[in-house]
Amino acid sequence: MTTPSPVWHPFTQHGLGEPIPLIDRAEGARIYDALGNSWIDAISSWWVTTHGHAHPRIMAAIREQSEKLDQLIFAGWTHEPAETLAAELVRITPDPLTRVFFSDSGSTSVEVALKMALGYWANVGADRSRILVLEHSYHGDTIGAMSVGERGVFNRPYQPLLFDVGTIPFPHEGREQEALDALEAACREKPAAFIVEPLILGAGGMLVYPAWVLAEMRAICARHDVLFIADEVMTGWGRTGTRFACDQAGVIPDILCLSKGLTGGAVPLAVTLCIEPIFAAHLSEDRARLFYHSSSYTANPIACAAANANLAIWRDEPVQARIDALADAQAAHLAMLAAHPRVANARRLGTIAALDVVATDTGYLSNLAPRLTAFYRDRGVLLRPLGNSIYVMPPYCTTADELAEVWQSIAVSLDEITR
Ligand code: PMP
């Protein structure tokens, strides 16, 4: 975009003269501008377009729903797309998760989870409000979601507004027990809840930890009656190799946050599922315990229809086979770069592959990530490294040739940019 624009972009340093491509359409793993240039969307447009852009069934569902019912106040009214979706979500998640609360983004699904947890304890008459979090976590950019995430340059000005939390050290390899012991000790203080990104911390740098650690964390919380909140906003919908990351650890959370791939990435929607006792604690004849949370677009019918189409795709198409094939291809490409002198910590979980660039200046304010991002953009690839961590998280429909092109551009960047 060369003309001055009033748009203020997220996570974008304006004023540096960086070009901002004007995208016109998208299909599958590719986005296109009006001039015919195209880019491979190797991060699924911020981890959302699981089946690729413009999946025909999701597009059709949106078109059909928009001709019937566009929007409806969801307090005291309901509609078929939301009812179908909620029933199906309850069916495909573990039995103890019985209730579905709708919202619009990953951040709001986390806000809802935190409010459910605090509401539960307040309504059962217990003085428990402290939240435990895992070091390096990211749960969104609203004030509550930032409060339970890592403190850093990106939230420095807002820190006076962020509430205090108990931080459990990340379970680095060889130091897992240390983290588990810290969680157990913190749980003895009777906090309200522990919130965690299962198996992989996303925006914190694609940090992976093993399933047995997640299972142990869950068991510790259960032992101490601490509510266990799984934030599967990024990990949900097959990203980590299984539909939900918790499945790999046999973990059943008390509260589950889902968004991003919920609609196949076409329109915004989020849900927070919870166990029956949390819902039941919000019942009272005098209405004093009802759950005070809503937003205008809660359970928008068009978004729910898109989500129902996503679930139909999971039912009818070989989604798991696509995920397995993509995971294998990612592993093969990563293996070819793992021994590169500029590469450290090559890691993969399901369809997510990541590596760290060995460089002198790797902090969040270093120029490395913006330079790499521009390098890929100029070569027809949409990648957006986190600090010095390059990660590839493409749609499940990405072809072998497209994936090879992505990894080829990473290989070249390691030689050229970091020289
Ligand atoms: N939780 C996790 C684990 C996330 O990765 C994200 C987004 N990257 C969020 C919450 C926030 O989601 P949103 O950007 O839709 O608000």
Side-chain angles (χ1 to χ4, degrees):
M1 184 112 185
T2 46
T3 48
S5 160
V7 176
W8 189 347
H9 289 266
F11 276 86
T12 299
Q13 184 58 72
H14 286 276
L16 298 181
E18 277 286 300
I20 297 182
L22 182 64
I23 296 304
D24 186 49
R25 64 193 177 87
E27 197 184 340
R30 281 186 188 270
I31 59 173
Y32 301 83
D33 70 11
L35 302 172
N37 299 307
S38 85
W39 290 261
I40 302 167
D41 188 350
I43 59 165
S44 305
S45 274
W46 252 340
W47 322 343
V48 302
T49 53
T50 43
H51 309 297
H53 289 273
H55 190 292
R57 290 175 72 177
I58 297 173
M59 298 301 109
I62 290 172
R63 266 195 309 276
E64 281 162 29
Q65 184 56 43
S66 66
E67 285 168 9
K68 274 173 69 180
L69 176 66
D70 53 352
Q71 160 69 357
L72 179 73
I73 179 172
F74 207 61
W77 299 81
T78 194
H79 50 80
E80 189 274 332
E83 294 297 333
T84 302
L85 177 57
E88 188 62 7
L89 288 170
V90 166
R91 191 185 70 77
I92 66 167
T93 53
D95 289 345
L97 297 167
T98 54
R99 300 287 169 174
V100 181
F101 194 94
F102 288 95
S103 64
D104 320 300
S105 69
S107 303
T108 55
S109 75
V110 168
E111 298 286 347
V112 166
L114 298 174
K115 287 175 73 170
M116 277 180 178
L118 264 70
Y120 170 77
W121 289 116
N123 289 344
V124 300
D127 179 20
R128 296 175 74 149
S129 59
R130 191 170 172 79
I131 306 290
L132 303 181
V133 308
L134 200 57
E135 185 188 17
H136 306 314
S137 294
Y138 176 88
H139 297 287
D141 282 332
T142 50
I143 298 291
M146 274 194 293
S147 296
V148 293
E150 180 90 342
R151 309 288 155 105
V153 285
F154 27 87
N155 52 36
R156 182 186 38 76
Y158 327 116
Q159 284 177 17
L161 294 185
L162 305 188
F163 57 78
D164 194 29
V165 295
T167 303
I168 309 304
F170 182 81
H172 288 287
E173 200 178 341
R175 295 191 351 235
E176 295 91 347
Q177 198 54 49
E178 213 177 290
L180 294 171
D181 291 345
L183 178 62
E184 182 111 45
C187 282
R188 286 199 190 95
E189 308 292 317
K190 299 207 174 304
F194 174 52
I195 181 167
V196 69
E197 294 167 83
L199 300 188
I200 179 166
L201 274 52
M206 300 298 158
L207 305 175
V208 181
Y209 63 95
W212 71 265
V213 175
L214 182 65
E216 273 302 306
M217 287 171 168
R218 207 291 163 247
I220 290 168
C221 289
R223 268 207 297 283
H224 295 275
D225 221 8
V226 174
L227 293 173
F228 186 91
I229 304 172
D231 176 354
E232 294 236 26
V233 168
M234 178 186 82
T235 53
W237 308 109
R239 270 299 162 205
T240 68
T242 47
R243 176 145 42 190
F244 302 117
C246 282
D247 299 348
Q248 290 178 47
V251 158
I252 302 176
D254 297 308
I255 303 178
L256 171 64
C257 303
L258 299 172
S259 187
K260 293 195 188 277
L262 172 60
T263 62
V267 280
L269 186 69
V271 288
T272 309
L273 285 89
C274 73
I275 54 171
E276 194 63 13
I278 295 177
F279 175 77
H282 287 83
L283 303 176
S284 63
E285 292 210 339
D286 62 2
R287 299 172 199 265
R289 292 180 178 173
L290 73 81
F291 189 45
Y292 284 104
H293 190 93
S294 178
S295 62
S296 315
Y297 288 105
T298 298
N300 171 263
I302 298 171
C304 290
N308 283 322
N310 168 49
L311 285 164
I313 291 166
W314 272 86
R315 278 194 305 272
D316 309 339
E317 295 187 16
V319 176
Q320 189 62 51
R322 286 178 202 146
I323 288 168
D324 293 344
L326 178 59
D328 288 347
Q330 288 273 72
H333 284 293
L334 188 64
M336 282 192 281
L337 278 187
H340 191 287
R342 287 290 197 182
V343 170
N345 306 320
R347 55 202 181 273
R348 184 187 62 86
L349 184 67
T351 69
I352 307 169
L355 55 85
D356 294 344
V357 179
V358 180
T360 44
D361 180 14
T362 60
Y364 263 101
L365 294 181
S366 108
N367 256 331
L368 182 63
R371 278 170 62 221
L372 286 168
T373 301
F375 180 91
Y376 302 130
R377 187 192 60 225
D378 294 347
R379 277 159 190 77
V381 175
L382 196 177
L383 279 171
R384 213 185 138 83
L386 295 156
N388 67 320
S389 301
I390 300 173
Y391 70 93
V392 182
M393 202 190 302
Y396 307 152
C397 64
T398 308
T399 64
D401 285 351
E402 286 165 340
L403 195 65
E405 204 177 317
V406 171
W407 283 96
Q408 176 60 23
S409 69
I410 293 173
V412 176
S413 74
L414 291 172
D415 295 330
E416 291 200 2
I417 275 279
T418 62
R419 191 178 291 147

